[in-house]
Amino acid sequence: QLVNANWVKGNLSVTANAVNEPLTSTLTADKVVATTTNGYHTIYQGITVQPSTYYTMSFYGKAGEYGRIQMGDSNTVGGGAYFDLNTGSLYGQTTSNDQSLYDQTANIESVGSGWYRCYVTFKTGSAQSGINQFLYIAKNDGTTSYAGDNTSGLYLFCSSL
């Protein structure tokens, strides 16, 4: 769950067990809500990785009042992808400024009831030993830096590497 301390929260709050998750329909999916602070609304965790190895980061997401999210490998300079949970579409990818990502691919798949599995597959750099798996909550127009309202957000379940 995203309420665990290993997930660092920036300008957002997490409500645990807010809605039923898509795999077993149990009440374990979290709602991630943007605070009123003007800035990025993000959640991330540090993960140890092996150099020159392929990994897939994934999560299940469902639109709430916001419906767009960015997922990537670092909270400042990495690659990643932008997902629209309103339409079930991938609306962009970024590449790594520091060449920590190679052979990046991304996709979004419907799993029913408005839920989507979103994922990015990448290869770590030859000297890389760690990444920050991050999620940026975006407004429906794709804006990632804004002032939230302490109510609006989206739903996430089972983020993993």
Side-chain angles (χ1 to χ4, degrees):
Q1 287 187 336
L2 299 175
V3 295
N4 293 339
N6 61 321
W7 285 97
V8 178
K9 291 104 179 143
N11 301 327
L12 59 77
S13 64
V14 177
T15 302
N17 306 326
V19 295
N20 290 344
E21 51 89 350
L23 302 179
T24 63
S25 294
T26 56
L27 188 65
T28 55
D30 301 331
K31 184 171 185 181
V32 180
V33 174
T35 67
T36 57
T37 302
N38 191 21
Y40 295 106
H41 304 275
T42 186
I43 186 167
Y44 70 92
Q45 67 175 338
I47 300 172
T48 301
V49 296
Q50 297 297 313
S52 303
T53 303
Y54 284 94
Y55 289 93
T56 298
M57 292 185 290
S58 69
F59 68 90
Y60 291 89
K62 183 176 182 173
E65 298 80 15
Y66 296 142
R68 289 189 170 188
I69 190 167
Q70 178 187 4
M71 177 174 57
D73 87 315
S74 171
N75 59 343
T76 56
V77 296
Y82 299 89
F83 301 96
D84 189 328
L85 302 175
N86 293 304
T87 64
S89 61
L90 179 70
Y91 71 97
Q93 293 190 58
T94 60
T95 56
S96 177
N97 296 330
D98 65 358
Q99 297 302 306
S100 64
L101 291 181
Y102 299 95
D103 301 329
Q104 175 181 296
T105 59
N107 203 1
I108 184 170
E109 303 168 342
S110 175
V111 294
S113 300
W115 284 95
Y116 296 92
R117 178 178 179 253
C118 305
Y119 60 92
V120 176
T121 299
F122 62 95
K123 184 178 180 182
T124 55
S126 61
Q128 195 166 11
S129 62
I131 63 170
N132 285 329
Q133 177 188 10
F134 76 85
L135 300 168
Y136 281 117
I137 309 307
K139 294 174 75 173
N140 289 326
D141 64 2
T143 303
T144 55
S145 182
Y146 57 93
D149 61 9
N150 282 335
T151 304
S152 299
L154 49 78
Y155 302 97
L156 297 174
F157 174 71
C158 197
S159 183
S160 65
L161 176 69

